[in-house]
Amino acid sequence: MDSAYFAKANLTYQGSKEERDTAAILFNDKEIPLGDARMNSVAALTYNMGTCENIFAILQRSMVPQDNPWPTLLKSVTLLHTIVVYGSEISIDMAIKLCPVIYQLTSYNSATVKRSSLFSFSGTGNTDYGGPVRRAAQPLYDILSRDSNIREARRAGRDGSGSWAIPKGDTSA
């Protein structure tokens, strides 16, 4: 059986509240935009060290192109971007460790990824659906690549200015 599929299903129904909340954002078919209140609430949970580690463990699993479809990758990058801007200082250190993964996603091509899942097709054919992932990963990589960019993004997020500012959250969903 496919271990990645069962790991996702397990996270959705078991585990701590923060693990379930994070899995509910990442492993479903619903589109969740940057600035969604649910993402902001996950970012707020990173101020607890243990919770932060749990969230990043899920994020790392969700950023593996061979195990996840492009919508999950996109939501993972978007959630990480939200955490970088609004999360704790320790979450910044954890995000920097994911920089090589984010860099790889800046050139992600869904048509060339071989899936390791028994429940999905072994590729998407000749069509590349990775454009949204690449467009979301590039600004995040730019932020994480320099300490001054991280400080600027967090400052802009606090005061709502700048091109990296993220809205406080939409609670309509």
Side-chain angles (χ1 to χ4, degrees):
M1 292 287 173
D2 184 21
S3 61
Y5 173 79
F6 289 115
K8 292 176 205 174
N10 187 35
L11 285 171
T12 303
Y13 299 109
Q14 296 178 358
S16 65
K17 181 179 179 347
E18 67 271 2
E19 289 171 320
R20 289 191 312 269
D21 291 348
T22 305
I25 290 171
L26 299 176
F27 303 121
N28 66 42
D29 295 332
K30 296 176 185 170
E31 184 177 329
I32 299 177
L34 191 65
D36 187 275
R38 292 167 287 185
M39 288 199 186
N40 292 343
S41 67
V42 170
L45 293 172
T46 64
Y47 285 87
N48 176 294
M49 179 68 159
T51 302
C52 186
E53 289 172 347
N54 292 341
I55 290 169
F56 272 83
I58 295 168
L59 273 171
Q60 286 177 329
R61 282 187 242 162
S62 69
M63 290 185 169
V64 178
Q66 294 78 15
D67 293 340
N68 297 291
W70 72 266
T72 298
L73 297 172
L74 177 61
K75 288 185 269 187
S76 299
V77 170
T78 305
L79 178 57
L80 184 59
H81 191 146
T82 303
I83 289 171
V84 166
V85 174
Y86 290 114
S88 67
E89 291 297 322
I90 192 69
S91 70
I92 299 301
D93 294 335
M94 293 178 165
I96 289 170
K97 290 178 185 174
L98 290 176
C99 222
V101 175
I102 299 300
Y103 179 73
Q104 288 178 343
L105 291 177
T106 63
S107 61
Y108 169 73
N109 183 331
S110 66
T112 62
V113 174
K114 293 192 186 241
R115 301 274 178 233
S116 62
S117 171
L118 295 174
F119 297 108
S120 66
F121 299 106
S122 63
T124 57
N126 294 331
T127 306
D128 173 26
Y129 296 101
V133 175
R134 292 188 297 272
R135 285 189 295 276
Q138 188 61 58
L140 179 57
Y141 180 74
D142 292 343
I143 290 170
L144 291 174
S145 64
R146 297 186 66 215
D147 192 47
S148 61
N149 291 352
I150 295 169
R151 283 194 298 276
E152 174 59 25
R154 289 174 68 81
R155 185 199 57 75
R158 279 192 307 275
D159 65 14
S161 67
S163 61
W164 292 326
I166 297 175
K168 296 287 186 229
D170 177 14
T171 57
S172 63

